[in-house]
Amino acid sequence: MSTHPFVPDGFEPPTSLVTADFRLEPLGPSHNDADLAAWTSSIEHIRATPGYPDGDWPPIGGMTLDANHADLVRHAADFEARTGFTFTVLDPTDADVIGCGYQYPPESEGHDVSVQSWVRADRAALDAPLADAVESWIATDWPWQRPDRHGR
């Protein structure tokens, strides 16, 4: 991992990406119920998604609502501290949680950001469009040049 800051000091992280198929906003505790429902409905699908090579997430047994809340608090704190950026992926018409996207410091040399995303199994057709939209977003609105898309 690099010893450089994850984002430059004066950089203002974008807080929204909107397409015809989905909308991204920073993930936080207010998404707890819908986030937990989204990923627990699709554990096997998410585990089979490119970008989840370790096989540890999501946990097969799920999580309690309180444990998920703590996880969302951690992601929101990372965003505030500018050490990682997690976005909930929402349906643009009803704001239902349909996935999640993560931008964190890379774990491998040659990259300046690790990029992962997932969608619910019933929205599997959005998997590649989400990953591609985030890649374009990173190229135009974020300070990174060498994303690790984990096989995408």
Side-chain angles (χ1 to χ4, degrees), residues 2-39:
S2 172
T3 57
H4 299 288
F6 188 43
V7 293
D9 282 344
F11 178 73
E12 286 299 323
T15 57
S16 180
L17 173 65
V18 179
T19 74
D21 297 318
F22 47 79
R23 175 173 58 87
L24 277 67
E25 66 181 43
L27 178 67
S30 66
H31 300 109
N32 194 31
D33 291 336
D35 177 74
L36 183 65
W39 70 258

Side-chain angles (χ1 to χ4, degrees), residues 44-58:
E44 291 305 320
H45 172 73
I46 296 167
R47 282 177 162 245
T49 299
Y52 291 90
D54 67 5
D56 290 336
W57 197 90

Side-chain angles (χ1 to χ4, degrees), residues 11 14 17 103 112-113 115 131-147 149:
F11 178 73
L17 173 65
Q103 298 165 175
D112 50 8
V113 61
V115 182
D132 292 344
V134 170
E135 179 182 37
S136 294
W137 190 36
I138 286 171
T140 59
D141 293 8
W142 291 86
W144 306 302
Q145 304 298 313
R146 299 173 317 280
R149 293 183 66 199

